[in-house]
Amino acid sequence: MNAEDSAEATAPETPSPSRRDLMKLAGASALTANAVAPAAAAQTNLSDTRSFPRDFLWGTATSAYQVEGAWNDDGKGESIWDRFVHTRGKVRNGDTGDVALDHYHRYKDDVQYIKALGSRAYRFSISWPRIFPLGTGPANAKGLAFYDRLTDELLANGIQPFATLYHWDLPQALQDNFGGWQSVDTAKAFADYAGYVSAKLSDRIRYFFTVNEFSAFVELGYRSGVFAPGLTLPAARLNQVRHNAVLGHGLAVRAIRASAKPSTKVGIADNLTAVAPLIETPEAIAAAERATRELNAAYLTVVMEGRYTDAYLNAAGADAPKFTAEDLRVISSPLDFVGINVYTPVYVLPASAAPGFAVVPLAKSHPRMASPWQAFGPEALYWAPRHVQKIWNVKEIYVSENGCGTADTPAADGLVYDTDRIMFLRSYLSMLQRAVADNVPVRGYFLWSLFDNFEWADGFDTRFGVIHVDFATQKRTPKQSASYYTEVIKRNAVA
């Protein structure tokens, strides 16, 4: 989950305007047949206009550090997040992921919650230091065994596993020895890890995401320092971290191709800057396409095109990353699918001067969700996949994350009536349905998140789950949004 909007830091400067119902319907049995029939007919017609393709895949998502706990159990090594949360003052309230949701021990019960939602897919991440405690060297058999068990449990319950290989929990030893992603040695170690895991699990896991959200772990971890490992690097070193991250992705793609079963599919889960035209004119739409390339220049654009844009390199000047032609070939290794994490849009208008678009600042009164960084903008879930298809001719797209943080508090009856999350999901899914109706090849959607969990520097204060978690008792309680999402899946339509 991306914790703040940092995309502007990665591209050239742009000009401004840079399980119970809430209530039961009293007397429902007294309604006459004539009163019910028109409503039923209207609902059917509405579903027809809001439906998704028959084979659309509805899923949920989590990440290892945010849910697993068991931070030093069964031979797991220390991660940069373990070190970070144990450093005083780094995380709100001094919260840690030491226990988190205790998913490591409760995974069987948690799979039943996925099944009860009707979700047919689950995107989870694999903890690199659980597999290689020091990042490299001998593998930890007990760590791999956990993901064996989890995968088997998912499949036994009719749930397709989608695995993410890197969701920010870098082995601390690689940070200590190489400076983490400051070194190409970390990128090479990531490829070795990816090849090993895919060889062991691709007999049952068909889809692997290499990296989750380049800009989140790079910009927040190495630029602003609010995420692990907590560094604030100067421009030249930061640009090299960016390059090493996408290089690690490309090396991992090649390692998976060499090691996994032939039917394995590989892609990324990137929180691209989702650009939307402020007004849908042809000129503004063209400006949004230009902005999508430039505002994602350091990450998705170079991955898809095998080159950095001229504007990005010119803006970096002497601080531009050092790279070779072979680096670019590796970075752009062909993908089977592209996952996009979409939360909030950046609005643009056309501009006559270079770069051909102007970012429009959000109004002070623009609606936001509970997290200050998350501006409400459902159209992001239409334009982001459409741009990915149009600009890079991608044939298989997944919304690998979408959801919102809200201020969820159980009511007197113990339930959570998260009307704001339901509003969010209905609005965003309506825009996603518009995209698939326009033949944008979105094949599935992963709701973030299955459970309330450890929300990085925010600790446990911000809740993104459709299932409420009492972190003191580990009690799980489905929210009203869980009922809503179940209805969406059941209808295969916006509910």
Side-chain angles (χ1 to χ4, degrees), residues 149-488:
R149 296 192 300 271
L150 174 60
T151 298
D152 290 345
E153 190 70 17
L154 291 166
L155 292 172
N157 285 277
I159 301 164
Q160 186 173 0
F162 282 63
T164 304
L165 292 168
Y166 186 69
H167 201 128
W168 313 351
D169 49 352
L170 184 75
Q172 181 64 42
L174 296 180
Q175 190 67 40
D176 293 339
N177 295 334
F178 303 125
W181 291 102
Q182 295 181 76
S183 172
V184 72
D185 289 320
T186 294
K188 292 175 180 177
F190 179 59
D192 292 341
Y193 152 68
Y196 177 84
V197 169
S198 61
K200 297 294 185 181
L201 297 178
S202 60
D203 59 334
R204 287 154 292 156
I205 300 178
R206 189 181 178 199
Y207 287 81
F208 285 89
F209 298 87
T210 56
V211 171
N212 182 79
E213 296 191 354
F214 293 109
S215 67
F217 76 83
V218 172
E219 307 304 325
L220 303 179
Y222 291 85
R223 179 174 177 260
S224 67
V226 297
F227 274 16
L231 301 181
T232 54
L233 299 180
R237 292 170 62 189
L238 177 65
N239 284 330
Q240 202 62 47
V241 169
R242 292 169 176 161
H243 177 76
N244 291 339
V246 291
L247 179 61
H249 152 78
L251 290 170
V253 171
R254 293 195 172 187
I256 293 168
R257 300 282 189 220
S259 304
K261 300 294 183 185
S263 61
T264 303
K265 288 193 170 187
V266 60
I268 56 173
D270 189 43
N271 60 327
L272 81 167
T273 299
V275 183
L278 185 64
I279 303 170
E280 291 187 18
T281 65
E283 296 79 10
I285 291 170
E289 292 170 358
R290 289 191 291 272
T292 296
R293 286 191 68 251
E294 290 300 341
L295 296 181
N296 293 287
Y299 301 116
L300 190 59
T301 301
V302 69
V303 166
M304 301 308 298
E305 300 182 13
R307 70 183 185 92
Y308 291 109
T309 67
D310 292 341
Y312 174 72
L313 293 177
N314 290 337
D319 294 326
K322 304 296 187 285
F323 58 89
T324 66
E326 178 60 18
D327 284 352
L328 298 179
R329 284 190 288 270
V330 171
I331 290 166
S332 58
S333 297
L335 302 177
D336 299 301
F337 65 90
V338 172
I340 53 175
N341 297 356
V342 181
Y343 290 94
T344 191
V346 168
Y347 297 106
V348 300
L349 286 172
S352 56
F357 62 89
V359 173
V360 180
L362 294 178
K364 290 183 179 179
S365 58
H366 190 101
R368 298 176 184 272
M369 305 308 293
S371 298
W373 59 266
Q374 192 173 11
F376 182 75
E379 55 272 50
L381 208 50
Y382 173 75
W383 289 105
R386 175 174 156 152
H387 291 327
V388 169
Q389 176 199 29
K390 172 79 180 296
I391 297 168
W392 295 300
N393 195 32
V394 176
K395 304 298 186 185
E396 186 172 348
I397 301 170
Y398 291 88
V399 177
S400 38
E401 286 185 25
N402 172 249
C404 64
T406 62
D408 295 332
T409 303
D413 61 4
L415 299 182
V416 175
Y417 300 103
D418 51 342
T419 57
D420 44 1
R421 180 173 289 105
I422 293 173
M423 175 273 295
F424 177 97
L425 291 174
R426 181 180 291 119
S427 301
Y428 274 71
L429 290 176
S430 294
M431 288 291 101
L432 183 61
Q433 194 279 334
R434 177 189 174 194
V436 298
D438 284 354
N439 297 313
V440 178
V442 181
R443 307 303 184 203
Y445 171 92
F446 291 87
L447 173 62
W448 187 274
S449 176
L450 174 62
F451 296 112
D452 293 337
N453 55 38
F454 178 82
E455 190 50 38
W456 308 112
D458 285 346
F460 292 112
D461 278 0
T462 306
R463 293 176 177 268
F464 275 80
V466 294
I467 297 174
H468 180 270
V469 178
D470 182 324
F471 296 110
T473 66
Q474 294 296 341
K475 180 182 178 182
R476 277 87 155 136
T477 306
K479 305 174 187 178
Q480 288 297 298
S481 57
S483 298
Y484 173 80
Y485 193 48
T486 295
E487 189 67 21
V488 168

Side-chain angles (χ1 to χ4, degrees), residues 34-56:
N34 286 340
V36 172
Q43 184 180 33
T44 300
N45 292 337
L46 182 63
S47 295
D48 288 345
T49 64
R50 290 185 157 194
S51 62
F52 285 79
R54 184 171 299 177
D55 59 351
F56 194 82

